[in-house]
Amino acid sequence: MVQRRVRMKDVAAHAGVSPRTVSNVVNNYAYVSDEMRARVQASLDELGYQMDYLARGLRSGRTGFIALVVPSLAEPYFAALAESVIRAAREHHLSVLVETTGNAAEIEREVLQGSLTRMVDGVLLNAVAGEEVEDLPAVLLGESPPLANAPHVGIDNVAAARTVVQHLIDCGHRRILAYGNQDTETARLRLEGYRQAMTAARLGRVLSLDYSGGPWSAEGAYRDIAKLLRRRARPPEAIFAFNDSLAHGALRALRERGLAVPGDVAIAGIDDIVMSAFSEPPLTTVAPDLDELAHRAVGLLVDRIGGHRVPHEFTRTLTPFRLIVRASTAG
């Protein structure tokens, strides 16, 4: 026998309130007392109520979906970010559609001009092209090019890089290689943080190695660092990799060369992806607070969708990060 769908009036009768009050709780309206919200939520949970998002969308003119557009889900950082965004969106009774761009401006334009924008109420975007997102509320993630009509949420990449490099300096290293430079805003800012730390320590000469091309990956880093080690008789004392995937590729190249980490070369990254705690040795890194980043970004997007507190110019919200010291630098 097919079980009948639980309706709002069923929940109202169970909780002893009006259907309007149940609707206010389900739609997360602010003007409901904590006691009443808890009472209704208990009935919702006990009866197993599920919102009819299609019906709500037809009534409100909204879909109940937001989009997350990132370079790649193969990169562990963006996969973890997607998980955090989905959790944050669920708090607002929203579902998330995920698209990837391969870090290519032309694919990003196709995504933002295609059918996706007609299926969602707003978009969280790690942008490459830097073009305005027309007729759709948007919030920028990461180091996206500033858009006049969209706020930005991310970490302070200069400060994060400076923190990592200062740790390497405090460990006694002087010949520190900055690895991962490419033509992106994130790379530019992380290189700037490296330069600031080196300059403050009066270490003078900057050692920088460009990434060989495309999105950062462990495979690309392995090739770059292996080539560097073949060319140079004397390796750097330490490597600051611009993200953890690069650091893991470098770790393999160092091991194959017979170099001990951190005995011969220390290494550190940024992102604190899951495998960084389990690599050999475990990787020193900067951990962004992805849950806080997602919470702030989704909250801003919900405000923009609802027409509340919409900024009239580009604004930047910085979220926390912390240095996690592990055996790749600590010995």
PDB file of all heavy atoms in Angstrom, residues 295-319:
ATOM      1  N   HIS A 295      29.273  28.614   4.918  1.00  0.00           N
ATOM      2  CA  HIS A 295      28.168  29.225   5.676  1.00  0.00           C
ATOM      3  C   HIS A 295      28.012  30.704   5.325  1.00  0.00           C
ATOM      4  O   HIS A 295      26.890  31.179   5.076  1.00  0.00           O
ATOM      5  CB  HIS A 295      28.434  29.058   7.176  1.00  0.00           C
ATOM      6  CG  HIS A 295      27.471  29.782   8.055  1.00  0.00           C
ATOM      7  ND1 HIS A 295      26.196  29.327   8.309  1.00  0.00           N
ATOM      8  CD2 HIS A 295      27.583  30.963   8.730  1.00  0.00           C
ATOM      9  CE1 HIS A 295      25.573  30.177   9.109  1.00  0.00           C
ATOM     10  NE2 HIS A 295      26.396  31.171   9.376  1.00  0.00           N
ATOM     11  N   ARG A 296      29.133  31.410   5.276  1.00  0.00           N
ATOM     12  CA  ARG A 296      29.064  32.843   4.964  1.00  0.00           C
ATOM     13  C   ARG A 296      28.625  33.068   3.523  1.00  0.00           C
ATOM     14  O   ARG A 296      27.817  33.951   3.228  1.00  0.00           O
ATOM     15  CB  ARG A 296      30.432  33.497   5.203  1.00  0.00           C
ATOM     16  CG  ARG A 296      30.911  33.424   6.652  1.00  0.00           C
ATOM     17  CD  ARG A 296      30.080  34.295   7.576  1.00  0.00           C
ATOM     18  NE  ARG A 296      30.263  35.698   7.330  1.00  0.00           N
ATOM     19  CZ  ARG A 296      31.218  36.444   7.890  1.00  0.00           C
ATOM     20  NH1 ARG A 296      32.086  35.892   8.708  1.00  0.00           N
ATOM     21  NH2 ARG A 296      31.302  37.727   7.635  1.00  0.00           N
ATOM     22  N   ALA A 297      29.171  32.272   2.601  1.00  0.00           N
ATOM     23  CA  ALA A 297      28.858  32.454   1.183  1.00  0.00           C
ATOM     24  C   ALA A 297      27.398  32.138   0.884  1.00  0.00           C
ATOM     25  O   ALA A 297      26.711  32.898   0.188  1.00  0.00           O
ATOM     26  CB  ALA A 297      29.773  31.575   0.334  1.00  0.00           C
ATOM     27  N   VAL A 298      26.910  31.014   1.406  1.00  0.00           N
ATOM     28  CA  VAL A 298      25.507  30.647   1.174  1.00  0.00           C
ATOM     29  C   VAL A 298      24.582  31.669   1.828  1.00  0.00           C
ATOM     30  O   VAL A 298      23.559  32.057   1.242  1.00  0.00           O
ATOM     31  CB  VAL A 298      25.221  29.227   1.693  1.00  0.00           C
ATOM     32  CG1 VAL A 298      23.719  28.923   1.659  1.00  0.00           C
ATOM     33  CG2 VAL A 298      25.980  28.193   0.865  1.00  0.00           C
ATOM     34  N   GLY A 299      24.942  32.140   3.025  1.00  0.00           N
ATOM     35  CA  GLY A 299      24.124  33.160   3.685  1.00  0.00           C
ATOM     36  C   GLY A 299      24.023  34.434   2.868  1.00  0.00           C
ATOM     37  O   GLY A 299      22.935  35.020   2.727  1.00  0.00           O
ATOM     38  N   LEU A 300      25.157  34.881   2.315  1.00  0.00           N
ATOM     39  CA  LEU A 300      25.138  36.066   1.455  1.00  0.00           C
ATOM     40  C   LEU A 300      24.277  35.842   0.219  1.00  0.00           C
ATOM     41  O   LEU A 300      23.528  36.731  -0.206  1.00  0.00           O
ATOM     42  CB  LEU A 300      26.563  36.425   1.023  1.00  0.00           C
ATOM     43  CG  LEU A 300      27.411  37.244   1.990  1.00  0.00           C
ATOM     44  CD1 LEU A 300      28.856  37.298   1.508  1.00  0.00           C
ATOM     45  CD2 LEU A 300      26.852  38.647   2.130  1.00  0.00           C
ATOM     46  N   LEU A 301      24.377  34.639  -0.357  1.00  0.00           N
ATOM     47  CA  LEU A 301      23.596  34.350  -1.559  1.00  0.00           C
ATOM     48  C   LEU A 301      22.105  34.320  -1.247  1.00  0.00           C
ATOM     49  O   LEU A 301      21.295  34.852  -2.020  1.00  0.00           O
ATOM     50  CB  LEU A 301      24.041  33.022  -2.160  1.00  0.00           C
ATOM     51  CG  LEU A 301      23.425  32.671  -3.516  1.00  0.00           C
ATOM     52  CD1 LEU A 301      23.778  33.731  -4.567  1.00  0.00           C
ATOM     53  CD2 LEU A 301      23.885  31.295  -3.989  1.00  0.00           C
ATOM     54  N   VAL A 302      21.746  33.720  -0.132  1.00  0.00           N
ATOM     55  CA  VAL A 302      20.332  33.689   0.264  1.00  0.00           C
ATOM     56  C   VAL A 302      19.804  35.107   0.467  1.00  0.00           C
ATOM     57  O   VAL A 302      18.681  35.436   0.065  1.00  0.00           O
ATOM     58  CB  VAL A 302      20.154  32.840   1.536  1.00  0.00           C
ATOM     59  CG1 VAL A 302      18.759  33.031   2.133  1.00  0.00           C
ATOM     60  CG2 VAL A 302      20.399  31.364   1.226  1.00  0.00           C
ATOM     61  N   ASP A 303      20.613  35.965   1.083  1.00  0.00           N
ATOM     62  CA  ASP A 303      20.214  37.368   1.252  1.00  0.00           C
ATOM     63  C   ASP A 303      19.977  38.036  -0.093  1.00  0.00           C
ATOM     64  O   ASP A 303      19.009  38.779  -0.276  1.00  0.00           O
ATOM     65  CB  ASP A 303      21.283  38.141   2.030  1.00  0.00           C
ATOM     66  CG  ASP A 303      21.281  37.801   3.509  1.00  0.00           C
ATOM     67  OD1 ASP A 303      20.263  37.262   3.986  1.00  0.00           O
ATOM     68  OD2 ASP A 303      22.290  38.062   4.178  1.00  0.00           O
ATOM     69  N   ARG A 304      20.865  37.778  -1.041  1.00  0.00           N
ATOM     70  CA  ARG A 304      20.729  38.392  -2.359  1.00  0.00           C
ATOM     71  C   ARG A 304      19.509  37.846  -3.106  1.00  0.00           C
ATOM     72  O   ARG A 304      18.811  38.586  -3.794  1.00  0.00           O
ATOM     73  CB  ARG A 304      22.004  38.169  -3.179  1.00  0.00           C
ATOM     74  CG  ARG A 304      23.200  38.949  -2.651  1.00  0.00           C
ATOM     75  CD  ARG A 304      24.481  38.586  -3.372  1.00  0.00           C
ATOM     76  NE  ARG A 304      24.466  38.994  -4.763  1.00  0.00           N
ATOM     77  CZ  ARG A 304      24.674  40.238  -5.188  1.00  0.00           C
ATOM     78  NH1 ARG A 304      24.919  41.203  -4.308  1.00  0.00           N
ATOM     79  NH2 ARG A 304      24.655  40.518  -6.471  1.00  0.00           N
ATOM     80  N   ILE A 305      19.258  36.558  -2.964  1.00  0.00           N
ATOM     81  CA  ILE A 305      18.080  35.966  -3.595  1.00  0.00           C
ATOM     82  C   ILE A 305      16.807  36.602  -3.033  1.00  0.00           C
ATOM     83  O   ILE A 305      15.855  36.879  -3.762  1.00  0.00           O
ATOM     84  CB  ILE A 305      18.073  34.438  -3.386  1.00  0.00           C
ATOM     85  CG1 ILE A 305      19.210  33.784  -4.184  1.00  0.00           C
ATOM     86  CG2 ILE A 305      16.723  33.835  -3.788  1.00  0.00           C
ATOM     87  CD1 ILE A 305      19.431  32.324  -3.842  1.00  0.00           C
ATOM     88  N   GLY A 306      16.818  36.831  -1.712  1.00  0.00           N
ATOM     89  CA  GLY A 306      15.656  37.438  -1.068  1.00  0.00           C
ATOM     90  C   GLY A 306      15.596  38.947  -1.167  1.00  0.00           C
ATOM     91  O   GLY A 306      14.646  39.568  -0.696  1.00  0.00           O
ATOM     92  N   GLY A 307      16.630  39.546  -1.768  1.00  0.00           N
ATOM     93  CA  GLY A 307      16.630  40.998  -1.929  1.00  0.00           C
ATOM     94  C   GLY A 307      17.040  41.762  -0.695  1.00  0.00           C
ATOM     95  O   GLY A 307      16.789  42.967  -0.594  1.00  0.00           O
ATOM     96  N   HIS A 308      17.688  41.090   0.268  1.00  0.00           N
ATOM     97  CA  HIS A 308      18.076  41.740   1.519  1.00  0.00           C
ATOM     98  C   HIS A 308      19.574  42.011   1.548  1.00  0.00           C
ATOM     99  O   HIS A 308      20.370  41.208   1.084  1.00  0.00           O
ATOM    100  CB  HIS A 308      17.713  40.858   2.715  1.00  0.00           C
ATOM    101  CG  HIS A 308      16.286  40.434   2.738  1.00  0.00           C
ATOM    102  ND1 HIS A 308      15.241  41.328   2.813  1.00  0.00           N
ATOM    103  CD2 HIS A 308      15.718  39.197   2.665  1.00  0.00           C
ATOM    104  CE1 HIS A 308      14.094  40.663   2.807  1.00  0.00           C
ATOM    105  NE2 HIS A 308      14.359  39.371   2.706  1.00  0.00           N
ATOM    106  N   ARG A 309      19.947  43.145   2.118  1.00  0.00           N
ATOM    107  CA  ARG A 309      21.349  43.514   2.336  1.00  0.00           C
ATOM    108  C   ARG A 309      22.203  43.267   1.100  1.00  0.00           C
ATOM    109  O   ARG A 309      23.320  42.745   1.171  1.00  0.00           O
ATOM    110  CB  ARG A 309      21.943  42.751   3.524  1.00  0.00           C
ATOM    111  CG  ARG A 309      21.202  42.956   4.832  1.00  0.00           C
ATOM    112  CD  ARG A 309      22.064  42.643   6.030  1.00  0.00           C
ATOM    113  NE  ARG A 309      22.662  41.321   5.968  1.00  0.00           N
ATOM    114  CZ  ARG A 309      22.064  40.220   6.416  1.00  0.00           C
ATOM    115  NH1 ARG A 309      20.852  40.285   6.922  1.00  0.00           N
ATOM    116  NH2 ARG A 309      22.680  39.061   6.363  1.00  0.00           N
ATOM    117  N   VAL A 310      21.695  43.647  -0.046  1.00  0.00           N
ATOM    118  CA  VAL A 310      22.436  43.444  -1.292  1.00  0.00           C
ATOM    119  C   VAL A 310      23.478  44.556  -1.450  1.00  0.00           C
ATOM    120  O   VAL A 310      23.123  45.730  -1.528  1.00  0.00           O
ATOM    121  CB  VAL A 310      21.491  43.443  -2.512  1.00  0.00           C
ATOM    122  CG1 VAL A 310      22.289  43.255  -3.798  1.00  0.00           C
ATOM    123  CG2 VAL A 310      20.447  42.349  -2.368  1.00  0.00           C
ATOM    124  N   PRO A 311      24.768  44.230  -1.507  1.00  0.00           N
ATOM    125  CA  PRO A 311      25.780  45.273  -1.678  1.00  0.00           C
ATOM    126  C   PRO A 311      25.722  45.882  -3.068  1.00  0.00           C
ATOM    127  O   PRO A 311      25.412  45.200  -4.039  1.00  0.00           O
ATOM    128  CB  PRO A 311      27.107  44.522  -1.473  1.00  0.00           C
ATOM    129  CG  PRO A 311      26.786  43.108  -1.801  1.00  0.00           C
ATOM    130  CD  PRO A 311      25.351  42.897  -1.407  1.00  0.00           C
ATOM    131  N   HIS A 312      26.025  47.159  -3.148  1.00  0.00           N
ATOM    132  CA  HIS A 312      25.999  47.852  -4.436  1.00  0.00           C
ATOM    133  C   HIS A 312      27.370  47.885  -5.096  1.00  0.00           C
ATOM    134  O   HIS A 312      27.524  48.446  -6.176  1.00  0.00           O
ATOM    135  CB  HIS A 312      25.468  49.275  -4.252  1.00  0.00           C
ATOM    136  CG  HIS A 312      24.048  49.314  -3.755  1.00  0.00           C
ATOM    137  ND1 HIS A 312      22.993  48.892  -4.529  1.00  0.00           N
ATOM    138  CD2 HIS A 312      23.532  49.688  -2.575  1.00  0.00           C
ATOM    139  CE1 HIS A 312      21.865  49.038  -3.850  1.00  0.00           C
ATOM    140  NE2 HIS A 312      22.162  49.507  -2.667  1.00  0.00           N
ATOM    141  N   GLU A 313      28.356  47.287  -4.441  1.00  0.00           N
ATOM    142  CA  GLU A 313      29.694  47.233  -5.033  1.00  0.00           C
ATOM    143  C   GLU A 313      30.407  45.988  -4.505  1.00  0.00           C
ATOM    144  O   GLU A 313      29.923  45.303  -3.605  1.00  0.00           O
ATOM    145  CB  GLU A 313      30.490  48.488  -4.669  1.00  0.00           C
ATOM    146  CG  GLU A 313      30.635  48.697  -3.172  1.00  0.00           C
ATOM    147  CD  GLU A 313      31.331  50.006  -2.830  1.00  0.00           C
ATOM    148  OE1 GLU A 313      31.497  50.838  -3.731  1.00  0.00           O
ATOM    149  OE2 GLU A 313      31.717  50.162  -1.673  1.00  0.00           O
ATOM    150  N   PHE A 314      31.543  45.695  -5.108  1.00  0.00           N
ATOM    151  CA  PHE A 314      32.315  44.524  -4.714  1.00  0.00           C
ATOM    152  C   PHE A 314      32.720  44.627  -3.251  1.00  0.00           C
ATOM    153  O   PHE A 314      33.254  45.637  -2.806  1.00  0.00           O
ATOM    154  CB  PHE A 314      33.561  44.420  -5.593  1.00  0.00           C
ATOM    155  CG  PHE A 314      34.469  43.282  -5.226  1.00  0.00           C
ATOM    156  CD1 PHE A 314      34.161  41.991  -5.623  1.00  0.00           C
ATOM    157  CD2 PHE A 314      35.622  43.501  -4.503  1.00  0.00           C
ATOM    158  CE1 PHE A 314      35.000  40.924  -5.303  1.00  0.00           C
ATOM    159  CE2 PHE A 314      36.471  42.451  -4.178  1.00  0.00           C
ATOM    160  CZ  PHE A 314      36.146  41.164  -4.582  1.00  0.00           C
ATOM    161  N   THR A 315      32.430  43.591  -2.472  1.00  0.00           N
ATOM    162  CA  THR A 315      32.830  43.532  -1.070  1.00  0.00           C
ATOM    163  C   THR A 315      33.573  42.226  -0.825  1.00  0.00           C
ATOM    164  O   THR A 315      33.356  41.238  -1.525  1.00  0.00           O
ATOM    165  CB  THR A 315      31.614  43.607  -0.127  1.00  0.00           C
ATOM    166  OG1 THR A 315      30.750  42.496  -0.400  1.00  0.00           O
ATOM    167  CG2 THR A 315      30.853  44.905  -0.324  1.00  0.00           C
ATOM    168  N   ARG A 316      34.432  42.223   0.185  1.00  0.00           N
ATOM    169  CA  ARG A 316      35.246  41.038   0.472  1.00  0.00           C
ATOM    170  C   ARG A 316      35.040  40.611   1.919  1.00  0.00           C
ATOM    171  O   ARG A 316      35.166  41.425   2.840  1.00  0.00           O
ATOM    172  CB  ARG A 316      36.717  41.351   0.227  1.00  0.00           C
ATOM    173  CG  ARG A 316      37.643  40.150   0.415  1.00  0.00           C
ATOM    174  CD  ARG A 316      39.087  40.554   0.185  1.00  0.00           C
ATOM    175  NE  ARG A 316      39.330  41.010  -1.171  1.00  0.00           N
ATOM    176  CZ  ARG A 316      39.609  40.206  -2.192  1.00  0.00           C
ATOM    177  NH1 ARG A 316      39.660  38.908  -2.002  1.00  0.00           N
ATOM    178  NH2 ARG A 316      39.828  40.696  -3.384  1.00  0.00           N
ATOM    179  N   THR A 317      34.712  39.337   2.113  1.00  0.00           N
ATOM    180  CA  THR A 317      34.585  38.746   3.439  1.00  0.00           C
ATOM    181  C   THR A 317      35.684  37.718   3.609  1.00  0.00           C
ATOM    182  O   THR A 317      35.789  36.775   2.821  1.00  0.00           O
ATOM    183  CB  THR A 317      33.213  38.060   3.618  1.00  0.00           C
ATOM    184  OG1 THR A 317      32.173  39.021   3.460  1.00  0.00           O
ATOM    185  CG2 THR A 317      33.098  37.425   5.000  1.00  0.00           C
ATOM    186  N   LEU A 318      36.535  37.891   4.624  1.00  0.00           N
ATOM    187  CA  LEU A 318      37.640  36.972   4.871  1.00  0.00           C
ATOM    188  C   LEU A 318      37.253  35.991   5.972  1.00  0.00           C
ATOM    189  O   LEU A 318      36.712  36.392   7.004  1.00  0.00           O
ATOM    190  CB  LEU A 318      38.895  37.734   5.274  1.00  0.00           C
ATOM    191  CG  LEU A 318      39.478  38.663   4.198  1.00  0.00           C
ATOM    192  CD1 LEU A 318      40.700  39.403   4.741  1.00  0.00           C
ATOM    193  CD2 LEU A 318      39.848  37.884   2.940  1.00  0.00           C
ATOM    194  N   THR A 319      37.512  34.714   5.738  1.00  0.00           N
ATOM    195  CA  THR A 319      37.193  33.674   6.706  1.00  0.00           C
ATOM    196  C   THR A 319      38.476  33.094   7.285  1.00  0.00           C
ATOM    197  O   THR A 319      39.549  33.231   6.704  1.00  0.00           O
ATOM    198  CB  THR A 319      36.344  32.570   6.041  1.00  0.00           C
ATOM    199  OG1 THR A 319      37.015  32.096   4.868  1.00  0.00           O
ATOM    200  CG2 THR A 319      34.982  33.110   5.651  1.00  0.00           C
TER     201      THR A 319
END
